[in-house]
Amino acid sequence: MTVRRTATTLADGRELLYFDDTEPYASGAATRQLGDTRELPATTVDSTMRYDVLTGEWVTLASHRMDRTFLPAADACPLCPTQPGRAATEIPADGYDVAVFENRFPSLATSAADPATECVDGEPLWPHRAAAGRCEVVCFTSDHDRSFAQLPTSRVRTVLTALADRTRELSALPGIAQVYCFENRGAEIGVTLEHPHGQVYAYPALPPRAEAQLRQADRHFRQTGRSLLRDVLDAERRAGTRVVAETAHWTAYVPAAARWPVELHVAPHRDVADLTELTGPELDDLAPLYLDVLGRLDRFFDGVEKLPYIAGWHQAPTGEGRELGRLYLQVFSLMRSPHRMKFLAGSESGMGAWISDTTPERIAARFREVAP
């Protein structure tokens, strides 16, 4: 499969990339519109990170995001292609296959400047630093009304190619600790733009979940000499109780300690650190399985046509601890029953002590019931 990558910049200097799989663009016989006709002020990002001494976590402060675009009308969507007679959008071309650009309202940015002092209020308990990373938007299709689950297999393959490309480039940026590719779907999740899209975050420090998994993986390796995530996959496949689907290169399963009312992991059979290490056959095999999984989500609850969900690629760190990481996709929903969401109340939010309203075995059984 041929995918052509074309790079340009938007009016304010942000990078834009087209990933084309259709002609005449895939072969280079034609080129998408590259020039951005808008007059945009330079993007100013003053994001900082403060260290929470009580948890050992870095908290990002990005107050400029309060002014970001919020659920615009379909004819004013900034992720649609630019059309004659309408205001120009973030995509100058009148059509595209997959497009990726730097977020106009990023939480993390390479241009973020270090604070004037090393600590908040001069107190050494509270170090702070620039939130110096990168946030990108990935537009899966130019069709505003089509969901990821409705894409053809070939387009999913192009999206995966784009995510691997962005993982490779962003991992090479100075100071990046980890790259996370994800999709939020549904107003219940907090989506502010309805156009089908995902995001890529390049973090300057390991996020708490990644840090916790790395700590557990390190402990497991010291005790057994084996990879924790490898052993988890092997154990799930041996048990079979929570396995939902298997292909030549991938297994989809509900984890034994699933937290969310609807949750599923998709892991490669071969040990790979991130998306960049997948082979062509593995990507070809993944695309239809990804659509299979998303289709099951939309059939999980009777009367719910489009289940709100988060889908995110957990990848190995770029530096220290990379050998302990292993690629897998986590897909989950906060919906606990038709049109009723799980709220993270006192125990979960206040203490981080999770309480599930179902069991992983029931989740897996339902996923198998709604197979295509």
Side-chain angles (χ1 to χ4, degrees), residues 122-136:
E123 293 287 349
L125 277 175
W126 306 315
H128 62 165
R129 55 189 279 197
R134 180 148 156 160
C135 297
E136 297 183 342

Side-chain angles (χ1 to χ4, degrees), residues 209 242-246 251-256 258-267 286 289-290 292-297 300 307 309-312 314 328-333 360 363-368 370:
R209 181 175 175 84
R242 291 168 297 278
V243 170
V244 173
E246 281 196 282
T251 293
Y253 64 91
V254 177
R259 297 177 174 220
W260 299 101
V262 181
E263 183 174 358
L264 184 143
H265 292 187
V266 182
L286 172 61
L289 178 60
Y290 205 153
D292 176 354
V293 165
L294 296 184
R296 295 180 198 233
L297 285 177
F300 197 89
L307 188 76
Y309 68 76
I310 297 171
H314 293 259
Y328 72 93
L329 172 68
Q330 178 191 29
V331 186
F332 63 96
S333 177
I363 299 171
R366 179 57 178 164
F367 268 127
R368 289 192 289 265
V370 296

